[in-house]
Amino acid sequence: MSEHARFLANMILLEEETARHCKRLADVALAAGDEELEAFFLSVVESAHLDIADALAEGAERRHATLEVRPISECLLSLPGRQPRSGHAALLGVHCAMACALSLVRRSHAYYASIAVMAEDARLRQRAAGFEREHSAHIGAMEHWINRLTT
């Protein structure tokens, strides 16, 4: 199996998890009344879906994945997602949602950064570096949101 096929399969796993959880986090943000934060989460979901579609269009197969993608801690995802919330509880829910999203994106960023440095194939290193930059931007945006929510 090629290094590129393994990368695409691992990418699909990471991006599927990110999309799944960020959709849930968008629901938490909406329940807290923060439509702007919901839109941000949905943009991350859309980006993940586009990356998955590109990988599948290249013929990626999940069976070539070598990563064991463990789900993010369920304690952060046990927040009530679709029920109206108010006051401090809503703010805490949104903050926990941001912490969860940041953890997810940092994990993907670390994977892409390692491939960008260690892959033997120069084209694959370049592609992984692009994903690393994209996830770095998401990390910066999420850190901005967390600062905005806590100050």
Side-chain angles (χ1 to χ4, degrees):
M1 168 187 8
S2 76
E3 186 179 40
H4 190 75
R6 197 170 28 255
F7 170 78
L8 291 175
N10 289 334
M11 183 195 75
I12 288 172
L13 287 177
L14 290 168
E15 297 302 321
E16 284 176 338
E17 184 183 18
T18 297
R20 185 173 44 257
H21 289 297
C22 283
K23 173 61 178 112
R24 171 80 168 100
L25 301 174
D27 293 342
V28 171
L30 182 61
D34 195 330
E35 293 177 359
E36 189 179 357
L37 183 56
E38 176 206 23
F40 170 73
F41 280 132
L42 291 176
S43 73
V44 175
V45 171
E46 182 179 346
S47 175
H49 284 158
L50 290 172
D51 292 341
I52 292 166
D54 287 347
L56 292 173
E58 288 185 50
E61 298 180 37
R62 288 175 182 86
R63 66 185 172 98
H64 293 304
T66 57
L67 287 179
E68 180 181 339
V69 178
R70 295 184 180 172
I72 268 308
S73 171
E74 293 300 317
C75 68
L76 290 177
L77 296 176
S78 63
L79 303 166
R82 298 182 189 270
Q83 299 175 11
R85 301 175 59 158
S86 63
H88 296 296
L91 180 59
L92 179 61
V94 172
H95 182 75
C96 287
M98 288 305 304
C100 181
L102 185 57
S103 178
L104 283 166
V105 175
R106 281 184 174 154
R107 181 171 59 189
S108 296
H109 176 266
Y111 171 72
Y112 297 131
S114 69
I115 297 298
V117 171
M118 297 187 321
E120 292 180 19
D121 180 89
R123 191 166 161 253
L124 181 56
R125 283 194 311 271
Q126 184 178 22
R127 185 169 192 182
F131 282 106
E132 184 269 334
R133 285 188 300 274
E134 175 185 333
H135 284 71
S136 181
H138 286 156
I139 289 169
M142 288 177 187
E143 289 172 343
H144 170 77
W145 275 102
I146 289 171
N147 286 336
R148 181 181 147 206
L149 293 170
T150 57
T151 55

